[in-house]
């Protein structure tokens, strides 16, 4: 045996079983030609290394969505001599899960059936005769509780001599067969609602659901910021300031404090020292932004998001907001990229892949990049316009919200494609399995470091090159007068717009010494937020949307930013 | 009656699952929005596209609504089973139903295509 394939419905605890079986090193890969991810790991069985694959959840072998197609393809590619299928079943939903089980058994591959959530059936007044089920299916049946590890040892032992089942399914009498199996193996008694079940009712209630959602979102946002800022100011900033800055200063001395290569690698020195926000060298700002400014937020964000995901709250939020989100052409799940974008646009852009169709991905990525300011930007806008109070802040955030709504509505009408209706199972609330949760967070961070970091470095390199060759100065001389006329900003503010491509909070900070009026500040802040995403988001968006769609999104961004800027200029 | 019109928290038997492509009519009869708005929504949601665009499916004599029937069947919702409507979000939002121990959120158009009848106690 060389391969173990985990298959089952969504939300049956597949990843928890996967985590129990495999060692630390796991790889997330896209199935060739799709954006569907699946996880691969390895385990030792009788001293032999065996590959373990966690296939995407599927309800049947007749796939309806891309993720299900991938799961079915993984099964079809399996060599019967070399593969064992572990079919994981949610014991509390035996009937629905057996539909897939019978289809898998009929394929004739060696299969082990795992009855997960074995501890929950007692609470729900259900009892299942596992031995009887094993006889009827002609396959080994192992009850497990993935979170506590119950049954995992038996599962590993039974992997060694797993064989194919002789069970064959008649498609037209499928549900009759399932009914018979249930009659012989399962008895269900009436049970009373538990507190968690009561909470489930309330959190999707058409009225009471909304205040609960606001509280959950507010608390999540607060924790994300708390952890993110904590990591930045207690770990990453000291590391960069105390350890990395002296190394860079030594290199700077070696390069004689100036020159072409100094500008590329170290950047410009501010008051004779390295300023990680303003130096713009590959080794200074290029490393600092992704590692010290973005990574802590990515970690804290994914930690909380994975918690909300694994506990079962996210689908409920999507249901509550589904109607509103359909107004802008995406379904309820579209709230997730928007939420993430408020922390940092990079994870927001990554999250657009949860959307089903190209249209939904395009709309959510574009309006997220245009109208959702990241945390760093929000802080700078507060610093700049906070002294004017409500009069200064409301026009900025109010305009962005109106732009979000109007642009979303326009795109929902004109972007070709579909935004399908919501159709999702709502899993019961469960306490997350933390090992599996941290593994997931680690995989996402690893992905960020591997995929985004090199592109940020390349981006900084290119911008530095453009500066050194005088191209940026040239551009601001050419476009300065036009932009000044449309937006009513002085020429000096143009430099901020250019820097905004690298780091928006720094760019907004550059407006402070210019002595702009409140109207100019509002216009500049809104235009800076809208006109283009920062380099890190830009790179991730190219990867997620493809070059052509990103080009379209960029045109929409620039046109709408200048249009809104022009309107604001007229108003003030 | 369809699932939109059905009362909440009583046992309902699924009588028939029609194609969503008729949903604009189903919805209009339930007093939900105007005819043209529903038609536009059907276009935007891509309802019925599979059937229109895939000649092979039409040629096999598979009727409209097969896709929805399959999708629902995968979650255990098929003709003859007993379900319970838990809640309905405002303004043509999703309907939440309970089948066995599973809860499923179904878009309004799909819900309008599910015909149910109340079970006499």
């Amino acid at each position: 045996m060389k391969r173990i394939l985990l298959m089952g419905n969504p939300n049956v605890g597949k990843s928890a079983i996967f985590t129990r079986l495999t060692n630390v090193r796991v790889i997330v890969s896209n199935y060739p030609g799709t954006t569907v991810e699946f996880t691969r790991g390895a385990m030792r069985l009788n001293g032999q290394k065996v590959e373990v694959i966690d296939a995407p959840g599927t309800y049947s072998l007749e796939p309806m969505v891309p993720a299900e197609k991938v799961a079915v393809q993984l099964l079809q590619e399996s060599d019967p001599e070399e593969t064992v299928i572990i079919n994981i079943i949610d014991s509390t939903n035996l009937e629905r899960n057996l539909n897939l089980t019978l289809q898998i058994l009929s394929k004739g591959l060696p299969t082990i059936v795992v009855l997960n959530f074995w501890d929950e059936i007692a609470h729900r007044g259900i009892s299942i005769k596992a031995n009887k089920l094993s006889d009827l299916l002609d396959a080994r049946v192992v009850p497990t509780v993935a979170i506590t590890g119950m049954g995992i040892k038996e599962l590993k032992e039974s992997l060694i001599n797993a064989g194919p089942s002789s069970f064959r399914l008649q498609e037209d009498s499928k549900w009759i067969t399932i009914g018979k199996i249930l009659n012989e193996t399962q008895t269900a008694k009436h049970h009373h609602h538990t507190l968690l079940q009561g909470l489930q009712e309330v959190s999707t209630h058409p009225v009471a659901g909304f205040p609960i959602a606001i509280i959950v979102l507010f608390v999540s946002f607060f924790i994300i910021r708390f952890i993110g800022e904590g990591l930045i100011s207690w770990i990453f900033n000291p590391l960069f300031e105390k350890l990395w800055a002296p190394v860079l200063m030594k290199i700077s001395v070696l390069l004689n404090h100036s020159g072409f290569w100094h500008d590329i690698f170290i950047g410009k020195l501010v008051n004779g020292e390295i300023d990680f926000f303003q130096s713009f060298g590959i080794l200074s700002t290029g490393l600092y932004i992704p590692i010290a400014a973005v990574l802590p937020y990515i970690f804290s964000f994914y930690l909380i998001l994975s918690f909300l995901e694994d506990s079962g709250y996210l689908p409920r939020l999507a249901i509550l907001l589904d109607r509103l989100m359909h107004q802008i052409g995406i379904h309820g799940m579209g709230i997730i990229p928007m939420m993430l974008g408020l922390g940092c646009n990079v994870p927001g852009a990554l999250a657009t892949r949860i959307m089903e169709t190209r249209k939904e991905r395009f709309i959510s990525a574009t309006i997220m990049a245009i109208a959702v300011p990241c945390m760093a930007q929000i802080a700078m806008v507060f610093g700049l316009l906070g002294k004017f109070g409500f009069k200064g802040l409301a026009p900025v955030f109010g305009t962005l919200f109106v732009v979000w709504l109007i642009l979303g509505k326009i795109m929902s009408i004109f972007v070709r494609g579909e935004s399908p209706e919501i159709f999702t199972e709502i899993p019961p609330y469960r306490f997350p399995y933390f090992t599996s949760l941290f593994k997931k967070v680690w995989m996402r961070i690893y992905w960020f470091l591997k995929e985004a970091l090199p592109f940020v470095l390349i981006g900084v390199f290119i911008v530095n090159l453009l500066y050194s060759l005088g191209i940026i100065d040239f551009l601001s001389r050419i476009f300065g007068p036009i932009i000044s006329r449309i937006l009513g900003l002085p020429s000096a503010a143009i430099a901020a717009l250019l820097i905004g491509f690298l780091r928006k909070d720094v760019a907004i900070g550059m407006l402070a010494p210019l002595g702009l009026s409140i109207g100019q500040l509002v216009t500049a802040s809104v235009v800076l937020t809208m006109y283009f995403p920062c380099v890190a988001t830009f790179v991730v968006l190219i990867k997620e949307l493809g070059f052509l769609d990103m080009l379209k999104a960029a045109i929409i961004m620039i046109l709408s930013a200048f249009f809104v800027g022009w309107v604001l200029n007229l108003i003030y | 009656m369809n699932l939109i019109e059905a009362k909440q928290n009583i046992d309902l038997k699924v009588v028939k699952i029609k194609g969503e492509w008729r949903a604009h009519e189903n919805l209009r009869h339930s007093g939900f929005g105007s005819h043209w708005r529903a038609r536009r929504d059907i276009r935007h949601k891509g309802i019925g596209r599979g059937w229109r665009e895939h000649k092979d499916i039409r040629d096999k004599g598979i009727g409209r609504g097969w896709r929805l029937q399959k999708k629902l069947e995968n979650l255990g919702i098929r003709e003859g089973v007993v379900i319970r409507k838990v809640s309905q979000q405002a303004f043509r939002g999703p309907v939440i139903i309970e089948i066995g121990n599973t809860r499923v959120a179904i878009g309004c158009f799909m819900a309008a295509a599910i015909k149910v009848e109340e079970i006499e106690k």
Side-chain angles (χ1 to χ4, degrees), chain A residues 323-374:
Chain A
R323 191 67 201 118
L324 173 75
M325 300 305 273
H326 257 302
Q327 290 297 324
I328 61 164
I330 51 186
H331 73 49
M333 285 291 184
I335 191 66
I336 295 166
M338 306 302 155
M339 292 262 313
L340 287 186
L342 279 175
C344 167
N345 275 197
V346 173
L350 289 178
T352 55
R353 60 168 56 177
I354 60 170
M355 309 306 294
E356 275 175 58
T357 61
R358 192 205 131 252
K359 174 180 179 174
E360 289 182 303
R361 273 196 296 276
F362 182 78
I363 294 181
S364 52
T366 311
I367 54 174
M368 193 272 304
I370 291 180
V372 178
C374 69

Side-chain angles (χ1 to χ4, degrees), chain A residues 39 275 310-311 322 333 381 484 519 523 562:
Chain A
T39 326
D275 183 320
D310 288 5
S311 63
D322 184 63
M333 285 291 184
V381 172
S484 307
T523 313
F562 282 104

Side-chain angles (χ1 to χ4, degrees), chain A residues 371-497:
Chain A
V372 178
C374 69
M375 205 64 234
Q377 244 175 298
I378 295 173
M380 291 307 287
V381 172
F382 264 81
L384 207 59
L385 285 156
K387 58 176 183 267
F388 299 108
F390 185 77
K391 227 174 77 185
L393 293 172
V396 176
F397 295 108
T399 311
L400 288 176
F401 182 67
V402 172
V403 168
W404 185 84
L405 272 181
I406 294 178
L407 210 60
K409 188 78 202 165
I410 293 174
M411 278 198 283
S412 81
I413 295 170
F414 290 107
V415 176
R416 291 183 65 170
E418 295 146 12
S419 27
E421 282 201 286
I422 199 162
F423 178 69
T424 176
E425 185 194 344
I426 315 171
Y429 282 129
R430 287 195 172 107
F431 206 71
Y433 173 44
F434 277 101
T435 319
S436 161
L437 191 142
F438 277 109
K439 213 171 196 174
K440 190 149 81 180
V441 172
W442 163 242
M443 285 187 311
R444 285 167 164 176
I445 288 175
Y446 177 77
W447 186 92
F448 169 77
L449 289 176
K450 197 178 117 212
E451 305 276 321
L453 186 63
F455 280 97
V456 175
L457 296 182
I458 293 169
V460 172
F461 175 75
I462 292 172
V463 172
N464 271 339
L465 212 60
L466 295 180
Y467 252 116
S468 305
L469 300 174
I471 294 174
I472 289 193
D473 284 340
F474 174 73
L475 286 176
S476 54
R477 267 205 306 280
I478 295 208
F479 293 110
I482 308 169
I483 292 170
S484 307
R485 174 159 287 185
I486 297 174
L487 303 177
L489 297 174
S491 289
I494 306 305
L497 280 178

